[in-house]
């Protein structure tokens, strides 16, 4: 199949604003969009800049706006995109070059929720056991790969960069509802800040954007309820 | 390579229970309004009839045998609709007016107007008596 790929490009050394560039490619219906972008970079225009690593939907490097929706370029096939495809950098973060954005603000929010096990109790010489039911409680939010597709699809985050964002709340949920963790109160305090969960307007863009099918808005709702009733 | 230290632009705002309680208020008032506002609409539009609504209809409603009920009903509608709406406006301003000065100025205007409307409405509901009584 023949496809026209329109990419929103920006070179900080030359451009004042970003501009569209068009590329014609011959491709297969079952080809990943990422491979089409590779083809463009390797054969048509070597200056095209993008992030990718594993190319199998796990590392979370290649989130971008594809035909207006946040997708992982490696997880979407050309046959679902049609013969005219638009590709833009994810929104709400500063564009460094072409499809590469500054992820530091996103990662800073991730760090703010203390994404590590907090538990000073001595487990002795064995593990910290957990029942399947206790594991199930936060199973959905363990799937997050920090690709930023949800946070950069969130209108609350676009409007207000201080908002901690859905991805950080998903990560907080993953520890708050973990029976082995003892840091729930500290994390709920971060979630209850002005920049925390109360900026969420349940728009559900995050759910639609998540390439891992995490029910993000539900996780945010559970965190809100945990703060309201002061119990996990 | 230095260690990256996050520069979080988090405002140091003590929050306490304010955001959670206003969020809860929106849920509760939303459910209350679902019945009270829709009931109000159905009653006036379908039972009373749109062409019959005038000053005398409302006077009759407030001074008739169910006068106390209707005054409480209208007070509930006024309080929940206004607090729900005002908090919604506060959220919209917080979302879209990040700069502190304009943010504060807009909230001041909205809340001043809102409280004047609440006071005027409540004052009339509590004290209204038709002429000659």
């Amino acid at each position: 199949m023949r496809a026209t790929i329109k990419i929103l490009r920006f070179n900080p050394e030359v451009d004042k604003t970003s501009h569209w560039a068009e590329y014609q490619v011959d491709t297969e219906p079952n080809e990943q969009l990422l491979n089409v972008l590779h083809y463009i970079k390797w054969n048509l225009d070597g200056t095209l800049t993008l992030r990718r690593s594993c190319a199998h939907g796990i590392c979370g490097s290649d989130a971008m706006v594809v035909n207006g929706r946040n997708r992982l370029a490696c997880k979407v096939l050309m046959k679902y995109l049609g013969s005219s495809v638009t590709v833009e950098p994810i929104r709400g973060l500063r564009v460094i070059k072409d499809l590469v954005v500054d992820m530091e603000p996103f990662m800073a929010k991730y760090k703010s929720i203390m994404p590590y096990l907090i538990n000073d109790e001595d487990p002795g010489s064995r593990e910290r056991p957990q029942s399947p039911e206790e594991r199930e409680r936060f199973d959905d939010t363990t799937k997050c790969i920090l690709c930023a597709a949800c946070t950069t699809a969130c209108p609350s985050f676009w409007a207000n960069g201080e908002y901690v964002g859905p991805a950080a709340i998903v990560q907080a949920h993953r520890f708050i509802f973990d029976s082995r963790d003892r840091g729930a109160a500290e994390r709920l305090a971060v979630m209850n800040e002005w920049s925390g969960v109360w900026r969420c307007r349940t728009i559900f863009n995050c759910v639609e954007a998540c390439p891992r099918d995490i029910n993000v808005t539900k996780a945010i709702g559970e965190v809100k309820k945990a703060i309201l009733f002061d119990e996990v | 390579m230095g260690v990256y230290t996050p520069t979080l632009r988090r405002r140091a705002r003590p929050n306490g229970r304010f955001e959670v309680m206003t969020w809860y208020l929106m849920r509760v008032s939303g459910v209350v309004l679902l019945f009270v506002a829709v009931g109000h609409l159905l009653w006036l539009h379908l039972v009373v009839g749109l062409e019959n609504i005038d000053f005398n209809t409302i006077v009759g409603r407030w001074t008739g045998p169910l006068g106390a009920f209707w005054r409480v009903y209208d007070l509930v509608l006024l309080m929940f609709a206004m607090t729900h709406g005002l908090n919604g406006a506060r959220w919209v301003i917080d979302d879209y007016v990040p700069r502190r000065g304009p943010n504060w100025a807009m909230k001041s205007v909205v809340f001043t107007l809102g409280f004047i409307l609440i006071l005027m409405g409540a004052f009339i509901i509590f004290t209204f008596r038709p002429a000659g009584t």
Side-chain angles (χ1 to χ4, degrees):
Chain A
M1 66 185 272
R2 187 143 184 89
T4 307
I5 317 290
K6 270 179 75 181
I7 303 175
L8 194 62
R9 302 203 50 183
F10 174 71
N11 179 352
E13 289 172 359
V14 184
D15 301 330
K16 286 215 159 54
T17 55
S18 44
H19 58 91
W20 292 97
E22 253 185 59
Y23 304 91
Q24 306 287 332
V25 291
D26 280 312
T27 179
E28 299 295 323
N30 283 330
E31 198 63 87
Q32 298 169 327
L33 172 65
L34 179 64
N35 280 343
V36 172
L37 295 175
H38 278 157
Y39 176 82
I40 294 171
K41 180 173 175 64
W42 294 337
N43 297 288
L44 303 179
D45 186 346
T47 65
L48 177 66
T49 307
L50 65 140
R51 274 200 191 101
R52 93 283 181 260
S53 185
C54 79
H56 288 78
I58 289 298
C59 73
S61 303
D62 62 349
M64 45 190 79
V65 185
V66 180
N67 283 356
R69 294 173 64 164
N70 282 12
R71 316 291 290 262
L72 296 182
C74 58
K75 250 194 129 171
V76 55
L77 303 181
M78 290 306 292
K79 64 180 170 191
Y80 299 119
L81 296 174
S83 57
S84 177
V85 183
T86 61
V87 182
E88 304 159 64
I90 44 177
R91 294 168 182 145
L93 295 169
R94 186 178 62 88
V95 176
I96 296 173
K97 190 183 177 197
D98 294 340
L99 300 172
V100 175
V101 298
D102 180 9
M103 294 286 279
E104 292 301 352
F106 175 81
M107 291 301 171
K109 290 172 201 305
Y110 171 55
K111 286 176 188 171
S112 75
I113 61 100
M114 296 165 277
Y116 38 80
L117 184 80
I118 298 176
N119 190 336
D120 289 337
E121 297 158 20
D122 181 9
S125 57
R126 54 194 297 259
E127 307 87 356
R128 298 177 197 275
Q130 188 169 51
S131 71
E133 292 74 31
E134 287 171 331
R135 178 61 171 72
E136 182 62 30
R137 187 77 190 83
F138 63 98
D139 185 68
D140 200 36
T141 45
T142 61
K143 297 188 298 191
C144 176
I145 55 174
L146 291 168
C147 67
C150 57
T151 295
T152 59
C154 173
S156 296
F157 178 73
W158 296 336
N160 179 354
E162 287 184 56
Y163 174 36
V164 70
I169 300 173
V170 161
Q171 291 291 338
H173 179 283
R174 182 251 169 274
F175 287 99
I176 289 168
F177 294 98
D178 187 334
S179 61
R180 299 163 296 186
D181 192 88
R182 298 288 174 270
E186 290 168 59
R187 292 196 187 88
L188 286 175
V190 176
M191 293 287 100
N192 189 32
E193 279 179 29
W194 187 85
S195 54
V197 282
W198 310 117
R199 300 300 112 209
C200 167
R201 305 278 172 260
T202 51
I203 295 163
F204 285 89
N205 273 18
C206 48
V207 178
E208 210 165 280
C210 181
R212 306 282 295 162
D213 295 329
I214 300 171
N215 196 339
V216 183
T217 307
K218 185 177 176 224
I220 298 175
E222 287 176 358
V223 173
K224 285 172 177 170
K225 261 173 74 181
I227 297 172
L228 177 64
F229 297 114
D230 204 16
E231 66 181 11
V232 173
Chain B
M1 281 289 286
V3 175
Y4 173 75
T5 41
T7 48
L8 262 189
R9 288 195 314 116
R10 278 220 310 271
R11 276 178 221 177
R13 282 194 207 181
N15 195 4
R17 300 290 287 170
F18 180 70
E19 289 288 346
V20 62
M21 289 330 285
T22 49
W23 178 82
Y24 192 52
L25 169 78
M26 293 303 262
R27 267 69 203 158
V28 174
S29 57
V31 173
V32 171
L33 285 171
L34 195 64
F35 293 101
V36 177
V38 172
H40 172 82
L41 200 75
L42 290 180
W43 183 262
L44 284 179
H45 282 236
L46 297 180
V47 180
V48 176
L50 204 52
E51 62 284 358
N52 301 324
I53 301 175
D54 57 15
F55 180 72
N56 291 325
T57 317
I58 307 303
V59 173
R61 183 158 110 144
W62 275 5
T63 53
L66 284 173
F69 168 79
W70 281 117
R71 284 185 198 231
V72 171
Y73 188 99
D74 286 345
L75 187 69
V76 170
L77 181 60
L78 171 78
M79 288 303 175
F80 278 100
M82 285 305 292
T83 49
H84 191 92
L86 280 175
N87 191 54
R90 181 178 73 87
W91 281 358
V92 172
I93 294 168
D94 273 348
D95 278 353
Y96 291 103
V97 188
R99 285 178 53 213
R100 265 191 177 180
N103 180 299
W104 185 85
M106 283 181 80
K107 278 193 213 163
S108 304
V109 171
V110 168
F111 274 81
T112 306
L113 284 175
F115 282 119
I116 289 173
L117 285 175
I118 290 176
L119 286 177
M120 276 171 61
F123 180 75
I124 292 163
I125 288 172
F126 282 120
T127 63
F128 178 79
R129 300 177 72 174
T133 59

